[in-house]
Amino acid sequence: MRTADIGRWAFALAFLVLGLLSLFSRDFASVWQPVPPNLPGRALLAMLSGAVMTVGGAGLLLRRTLVPAALLMMSYTLLWLLLLHVPRVILAPMHEVTWGGCAEIVTLVAACCVLYASVATPADKPYFAALTGAHALRVARLAFAVAIPLIGVEHLVYAKETADMVPAWLPYHLGWAYFTGIAHIAAGLAIAFNVLPRLAATLEAWMMGGFTVLVWIPMIMNTPSQRFAWTGLMISAVITAAGWIVAASYGEAPWFAFSRPRNSKIPLAT
């Protein structure tokens, strides 16, 4: 099974579950979708948001609906970014938590862009040439590369809070908080400047996956009925899957390349 397929399916399933959680709870994803509680029609908008994630996630699972689903989720996550997170950064530019939240959504936009750029052809509908090919892939990778250092800085600024999430059986909790923060920054710089980009993107995806497995799965096991825990797991899973999609976009590029890789299309299951 190809890495590109695994990343896409995980990305799709995480979005699908997030959508179902919103539909059944009639609420937005906690913290991640900071919609004002007094917004008129909030419950209806939450269900509409959930429906988009559910339909988009299901569409990403199938090759025949992949192109329109990728475009739908690209548009949806970009709207999510511009309406919910960018204003928070503008209003509180000195709060790193707002930058970190913004960066997490950028990783989703980047992954959707990679999927669309990699598989859309003139024969597909809808087709936008400017969003396909080598240039679009480079822009998407750069967006991902800019986002993950902001997540790393958040780990460093809120090191104590990050350390509190480290599993109790691991030693040096604060050390892990600093290590992961620095690793996020290093991976982003490596991808941005094409210094071992395939290796950097893959290690970044593995690190995010480790966080999902070590932090959120035990939380689900301890509190299986809490919506917050399931939402946190799916958020962590979809970000991890976004990392795998970006890593897979390097295709057959050498692991130890120090120059710009070839920008070929990702081979996806038909």
Side-chain angles (χ1 to χ4, degrees), residues 99-164:
W99 286 95
C102 190
E104 290 179 354
I105 310 306
V106 171
T107 65
L108 307 187
V109 178
C112 293
C113 289
V114 167
L115 287 175
Y116 186 84
S118 301
V119 299
T121 69
D124 292 305
K125 302 296 180 185
Y127 176 75
F128 299 96
L131 298 177
T132 64
H135 177 71
L137 275 178
R138 285 196 295 271
V139 172
R141 290 168 180 161
L142 182 59
F144 183 83
V146 170
I148 55 177
L150 293 175
I151 298 173
V153 171
E154 187 178 17
H155 279 217
L156 300 179
V157 172
Y158 300 101
K160 182 182 180 302
E161 291 78 3
T162 303
D164 289 342

Side-chain angles (χ1 to χ4, degrees), residues 192-243:
F193 292 101
N194 290 302
V195 178
L196 310 179
R198 183 184 180 190
L199 181 64
T202 302
L203 291 176
E204 171 69 16
W206 274 109
M207 182 173 69
M208 292 190 292
F211 190 84
T212 302
V213 171
L214 295 177
V215 174
W216 288 106
I217 289 181
M219 191 177 295
I220 287 291
M221 295 175 67
N222 291 330
T223 57
S225 62
Q226 285 190 4
R227 174 174 165 254
F228 171 78
W230 282 100
T231 301
L233 174 62
M234 290 303 107
I235 287 172
S236 187
V238 77
I239 296 174
T240 298

